[in-house]
Amino acid sequence: MSLVRNYRRWQALLGAALLVLAGSIAAQELGREEVGAMQRVIDAQLEAFARDDEQGAFAFASPGIQERFGTAATFAQMVREQYAVVYRPASRAFLRPVVEEGTVIFPVQLSDRDGRVWVALYTMQRVAGAWRIAGCQLVPASATAT
């Protein structure tokens, strides 16, 4: 039990550290158009999940993610089972993206149907001039939605 608790504590600390960095680093390195383009990609994937459009959601994943999961159905099943709040968020709020050693991390605050608040740390990758989602890590937030 204590290992799980410590792991969650470290996850929360990592998320908090990234959010602090968001205010100081990245936005100055990313133009408004780039930030908007990334936000539209994340938003479009969330909307595709909301419609149960597995192919549409899979299309916004990077080639590495697509190769790893092979099919849209396998990808969507993994998201439903391991990232339920991403598959069906009750609310979402885009935070400021962070650039860390050349990697763009775009945090999105999500709440689930039970009111728990999470921060989804999306790793973004430019592929042939377009932004794609190369990964996502969920960090529980300390607040609860009202």
Side-chain angles (χ1 to χ4, degrees):
M1 252 338 213
S2 71
L3 286 176
V4 171
R5 198 171 330 137
N6 284 335
Y7 176 74
R8 288 187 180 145
R9 188 173 295 136
W10 281 109
Q11 270 189 324
L13 288 172
L14 172 64
L18 286 172
L19 291 175
V20 167
L21 286 173
S24 62
I25 301 178
Q28 69 243 28
E29 293 183 28
L30 295 169
R32 183 174 290 173
E33 289 180 25
E34 287 181 304
V35 172
M38 286 184 279
Q39 183 173 332
R40 286 188 295 278
V41 167
I42 296 167
D43 201 43
Q45 187 181 64
L46 292 171
E47 289 298 321
F49 284 138
R51 295 187 310 273
D52 290 318
D53 178 3
E54 295 175 351
Q55 288 293 336
F58 196 52
F60 294 107
S62 70
I65 295 293
Q66 291 177 355
E67 184 177 316
R68 179 176 174 196
F69 290 97
T71 68
T74 302
F75 173 70
Q77 179 180 353
M78 180 279 300
V79 175
R80 274 192 303 273
E81 292 174 359
Q82 297 179 21
Y83 296 83
V85 69
V86 171
Y87 200 81
R88 289 287 193 274
S91 69
R92 62 181 169 250
F94 289 89
L95 306 175
R96 293 180 65 157
V98 176
V99 177
E100 183 65 35
E101 297 180 16
T103 299
V104 179
I105 300 170
F106 204 127
V108 180
Q109 182 176 302
L110 304 171
S111 67
D112 63 23
R113 304 272 181 225
D114 295 326
R116 289 182 300 246
V117 179
W118 303 83
V119 177
L121 302 170
Y122 284 91
T123 303
M124 303 301 293
Q125 178 181 20
R126 191 181 295 276
V127 177
W131 288 103
R132 293 292 174 251
I133 299 167
C136 181
Q137 180 182 358
L138 280 178
V139 179
S142 59
T144 302
T146 56

